[in-house]
Amino acid sequence: MNTPLRITAFAAGLAATFGLALGVGHATGSAPSPKPAHGTHAGHTEESDGGGAEHLPGGLQVSERGYTLSVENPFVTAGSPTDLRFRILGSDGKPVTAYQPQHEKDLHLIVAPRDLSTFQHLHPTLAADGTWSTPTAVPAAGEYRVFADFTPAGAAEGLTLGADLHAAGDLRPAPLPETGRTVTVDGYTVTLGGDLTPGRSGTLTLSVSRDGKPVTDLQPYLGAYGHLVALRAGDLAYLHVHPDTTTPGPEIGFTTTAPSSGSYRLFLDFKHQDTVRTAAFTLSTDGAAAPAAAPTAPAAEHTEGAGGHQH
């Protein structure tokens, strides 16, 4: 996946643009211990980001560097199961069939509505003819953005392409979800620390606790102890980053630079007791998290299966 919040000192290979990448080492027992990597997974490397080169955040373009995201049917019905099918086309117009695995998968697919109220992180299946497919269902009518985060075989770096998905139904636009700095999901309390400052590197920390006690035995998920995806409100510019920590909690840190002022939705995936959960936050570059009446995360659907997990 590839980036609007640029990763400087750590691994984002969110990895890169909303692309966030960690290698796998050895931890106590049989569980692998993620190791931080450098660069971004969305086509930005640490060197290029730090050097001030001009880059568009990931996911804003349907075509980039000779590759195109082609969605077979961009029109769906809200609430109805659908088989989402798409292809990555090369510069010759033919489907790409060979990829380099990133975070244990050849391709990561993110689906999010324009109001950023929900989030799906899916892992589709690749057919021999280059067609990717995954079962999914969007919960409400509206405009959605589909992000494909991948690295073609032989490519020096990955990229994130984005395309629109239109869901028919009873459209009820909603403002950006309010969260505050603490949310709860499935009995876990996740607290956000740090700020986003445009053009300046900073650290975001996410601490996980349960029943008032810090969780110190998070499990690796896709080669990392946590995955963070950040989407910029307004245009859904995308960043997927991975933590620079190699310990299983309770705190996970991410070094980031916001590409512009504004509000961002942050989606943290973490795994504990063999289940992946997602905590979502709304954070503005003025340092304020959108207030909430109670520290409860927005309603989210979470399922595990061949297609990945949904939120």
Side-chain angles (χ1 to χ4, degrees):
M1 306 182 213
N2 303 40
T3 179
L5 300 183
R6 294 180 291 171
I7 315 284
T8 58
F10 124 69
L14 68 215
T17 280
F18 298 145
L20 327 163
L22 297 179
V24 178
H26 297 285
T28 302
S30 59
S33 176
K35 296 179 181 179
H38 296 284
T40 66
H41 179 269
H44 295 354
T45 63
E46 182 182 30
E47 180 179 356
S48 65
D49 281 341
E54 292 297 324
H55 291 289
L56 282 176
L60 294 180
Q61 301 184 94
V62 71
S63 184
E64 183 180 354
R65 301 208 311 266
Y67 296 95
T68 300
L69 170 59
S70 176
V71 179
E72 185 173 289
N73 182 10
F75 299 93
V76 299
T77 300
S80 298
T82 185
D83 188 26
L84 185 59
R85 296 166 59 86
F86 63 94
R87 297 181 298 169
I88 304 298
L89 304 179
S91 56
D92 58 0
K94 297 179 180 180
V96 177
T97 58
Y99 297 81
Q100 299 180 46
Q102 299 291 334
H103 313 302
E104 303 179 355
K105 299 292 182 179
D106 282 349
L107 183 145
H108 298 260
L109 189 73
I110 301 295
V111 180
R114 287 284 172 181
D115 64 7
L116 295 174
S117 58
T118 63
F119 171 82
Q120 297 184 47
H121 180 176
L122 307 170
H123 299 119
T125 300
L126 178 63
D129 67 354
T131 299
W132 291 93
S133 63
T134 181
T136 187
V138 296
E143 296 297 312
Y144 288 75
R145 193 70 173 168
V146 175
F147 302 94
D149 186 359
F150 62 94
T151 301
E157 57 185 10
L159 68 159
T160 299
L161 300 179
D164 289 333
L165 189 66
H166 315 281
D170 183 13
L171 177 59
R172 302 185 181 216
L176 203 63
E178 299 180 346
T179 62
R181 291 226 172 214
T182 299
V183 302
T184 59
V185 53
D186 293 345
Y188 292 83
T189 299
V190 183
T191 302
L192 171 66
D195 297 314
L196 291 175
T197 304
R200 183 183 304 171
S201 176
T203 299
L204 294 178
T205 60
L206 292 128
S207 303
V208 182
S209 63
R210 189 180 188 187
D211 298 328
K213 298 179 181 179
V215 175
T216 58
D217 58 344
L218 293 173
Q219 297 168 285
Y221 173 63
L222 298 176
Y225 285 122
H227 288 237
L228 182 66
V229 169
L231 293 173
R232 184 169 60 190
D235 62 0
L236 273 64
Y238 171 93
L239 174 65
H240 182 189
V241 294
H242 288 279
D244 51 5
T245 46
T246 57
T247 57
E251 185 174 277
I252 313 168
F254 303 84
T255 302
T256 64
T257 300
S260 69
S261 60
S263 296
Y264 292 80
R265 282 286 280 170
L266 310 178
F267 299 95
L268 173 71
D269 288 341
F270 65 96
K271 186 175 182 179
H272 190 243
Q273 295 184 347
D274 300 324
T275 300
V276 178
R277 298 172 174 85
T278 300
F281 296 85
T282 300
L283 183 64
S284 298
T285 52
D286 60 6
T296 302
E301 177 187 3
H302 182 99
T303 60
E304 283 283 353
H309 56 275
Q310 305 180 20
H311 313 274

